[in-house]
Amino acid sequence: MDARIQQSVLSNLSSRPAPIESGPFVIGFDPSTPNPGINYATPRPGAAISAADVTALVRAVEIANRQPRLEYVTSSAPGLEALLVAAGFTVEARHEYLTCRPDTLAPPPAPAGFALREPADDAERLAMVTAQHEAFGGPAPRDADVERMSRLQSRGGVAVMAVAGDDGTCAGGGQAVPPHDGVSEVAGIAIRPEYRRRGLASAVTATVTTHLFEAGTEIAWLEASGTDSRRIYERIGYRTTGNRLYISHP
């Protein structure tokens, strides 16, 4: 399973607007944003990696004017962390990832007073990414963020927004990347602070996952950054499966 998840990460980064290959690594380069959550590198699962490969990776990322940073399933490159630390990298976080299959998914009903649907045009996409950015405490979205969401949907990814029935406000949303070999990452699950504690995060995650399975995806996966989020995902059928590392160079 670790190898399949890591391969899906590699595929996702390879679909960025201007991906860069550097030896055993792929860098997901997007010229429209410096966001380190979009511009990062990952190793090919099982590839032999040397200190020279790490040096070349740092140089390639710096030429692209981005911060050297990696996200990857730890078992897919067992000796890589030591090489990165020796090269001056610092661990940002260690996250568990969870997986779900069609036979384990247990979707809850949508909370009363909210509709869950895919954004149908750029105005709705803007409303959704605005809610996500607000929930995550990030800057106001730009046109490139809306275009990125539109591109995700056009390539077979999934986006779901939660809309309040009383005034049509977008309370939050989430998405999933286009599947690779039957595997897709669910990400960006975010609910505005005033709409939390109503079951929306569970409902959005389950709806995104349902859409993936209806389209033929075999495995959906996501990350839990803490106990609260892990409990939300476990309630709807996700199960802890493996570990991922976030690591970057100053």
Side-chain angles (χ1 to χ4, degrees):
M1 181 62 75
D2 279 356
R4 290 190 72 180
I5 299 303
Q6 179 61 20
Q7 190 61 45
S8 77
V9 175
L10 194 77
S11 174
N12 184 32
L13 293 185
S14 297
S15 71
R16 293 284 194 264
I20 300 168
E21 294 195 13
S22 177
F25 301 101
V26 170
I27 306 161
F29 180 50
D30 186 338
S32 71
T33 177
N35 188 333
I38 294 175
N39 296 273
Y40 62 91
T42 205
R44 300 183 186 280
I49 303 173
S50 67
D53 292 324
V54 172
T55 299
L57 170 67
V58 171
R59 180 58 178 157
V61 176
E62 289 177 341
I63 289 174
N65 197 28
R66 295 292 185 269
Q67 180 187 20
R69 184 175 180 277
L70 296 91
E71 297 180 16
Y72 65 97
V73 176
T74 52
S75 71
S76 67
L80 177 56
E81 181 179 347
L83 291 174
L84 294 170
V85 170
F89 281 73
T90 301
V91 173
E92 295 179 352
R94 301 180 192 275
H95 288 173
E96 295 175 326
Y97 77 82
L98 298 84
T99 57
C100 184
R101 294 178 180 271
D103 60 350
T104 66
L105 180 64
F114 294 91
L116 301 178
R117 66 170 189 265
E118 295 201 47
D121 54 34
D122 281 351
E124 292 192 340
R125 293 182 189 102
L126 176 60
M128 177 176 153
V129 296
T130 298
Q132 289 174 302
H133 282 226
E134 181 180 313
F136 286 130
R142 304 179 303 158
D143 289 345
D145 297 304
V146 176
E147 293 170 4
R148 193 173 299 112
M149 188 64 67
S150 177
R151 186 167 63 248
L152 178 144
Q153 289 180 280
S154 69
R155 294 176 44 247
V158 175
V160 171
M161 61 192 299
V163 181
D166 54 353
D167 61 4
T169 298
C170 181
Q175 67 256 13
V177 302
H180 170 78
D181 191 27
V183 179
S184 175
E185 178 187 5
V186 176
I189 305 298
I191 306 299
R192 280 186 158 124
E194 64 268 32
Y195 293 102
R196 292 172 185 169
R197 305 293 180 184
R198 307 188 195 191
L200 277 175
S202 295
V204 169
T205 305
T207 302
V208 171
T209 307
T210 297
H211 287 348
L212 285 173
F213 292 157
E214 289 175 344
T217 300
E218 299 172 15
I219 300 168
W221 72 275
L222 46 67
E223 287 189 358
S225 57
T227 301
D228 289 344
S229 61
R230 184 171 63 251
R231 287 173 179 165
I232 289 172
Y233 303 141
E234 288 175 341
R235 281 198 295 269
I236 63 172
Y238 279 82
R239 299 292 178 263
T240 300
T241 306
N243 299 283
R244 296 222 314 147
L245 179 67
Y246 288 52
I247 189 167
S248 61
H249 197 284

